[in-house]
Amino acid sequence: MSGCDSGSESFALIALVTQTAQGEVAAVDLDERLVLDADTRVPGFTFVLVGENPTAVVVPALTARHAYVANQTSRTVSWLPLAQFHPEATPTSDVGGELALPGSPSDMVLSPDEDFLYVAFPDNGTIGEIAVDATNPTTPLTFIREIALD
């Protein structure tokens, strides 16, 4: 993520970490070694609610607009605007949402060209293929197919 400081851009290395038991994702500034408070209006540290039992987080490197979170219990992939994770980020018109999945995801990776998410469904013995449209601020994900693992 980037932020502006007195007219010059400054960059920070931010990690997103699943808080599985709480259904949240926390942001950590690795340069400053600080946990970031997602909403400074609320006393104490607040993190971003993402779904039930988040198991994986993916953020595109080339087209960083949303974070994608696989949620095992709710059987969804959520997308959340990256600005939501940093209290000093400039707000965007991007919105969050979720995509229903045919199984409980355990892990997720992004293709090198960032056009597809691949989600593992161990209970089904399959991998889900999800198309990513990084230019879409409201519904960037479309489920394509389930790939059987023989």
Side-chain angles (χ1 to χ4, degrees):
M1 283 193 244
S2 65
C4 290
D5 184 24
S6 302
S8 65
E9 283 194 53
S10 62
F11 294 91
L13 184 58
I14 307 293
L16 299 181
V17 183
T18 58
Q19 303 288 337
T20 304
Q22 292 82 19
E24 301 171 326
V25 170
V28 179
D29 183 327
L30 298 177
D31 294 327
E32 298 293 326
R33 298 180 182 199
L34 294 172
V35 176
L36 299 175
D37 188 358
D39 188 349
T40 56
R41 299 171 298 170
V42 177
F45 281 96
T46 56
F47 305 120
V48 178
L49 291 172
V50 295
E52 296 176 41
N53 194 15
T55 56
V57 178
V58 172
V59 177
L62 303 174
T63 56
R65 179 176 214 148
H66 293 97
Y68 305 113
V69 182
N71 299 296
Q72 189 172 46
T73 305
S74 58
R75 300 171 72 146
T76 61
V77 171
S78 301
W79 61 87
L80 302 119
L82 284 176
Q84 193 171 346
F85 292 95
H86 197 294
E88 297 173 10
T90 304
T92 66
S93 61
D94 298 343
V95 297
E98 66 182 21
L99 176 69
L101 299 173
S104 295
S106 65
D107 206 355
M108 179 172 61
V109 296
L110 189 61
S111 65
D113 61 6
E114 299 186 356
D115 289 339
F116 296 95
L117 280 172
Y118 291 96
V119 182
F121 304 125
D123 294 343
N124 298 7
T126 60
I127 294 175
E129 184 177 51
I130 299 169
V132 177
D133 178 1
T135 64
N136 190 327
T138 58
T139 52
L141 302 180
T142 304
F143 190 83
I144 301 297
R145 64 185 172 138
E146 230 178 322
I147 302 166
L149 302 175
D150 296 329

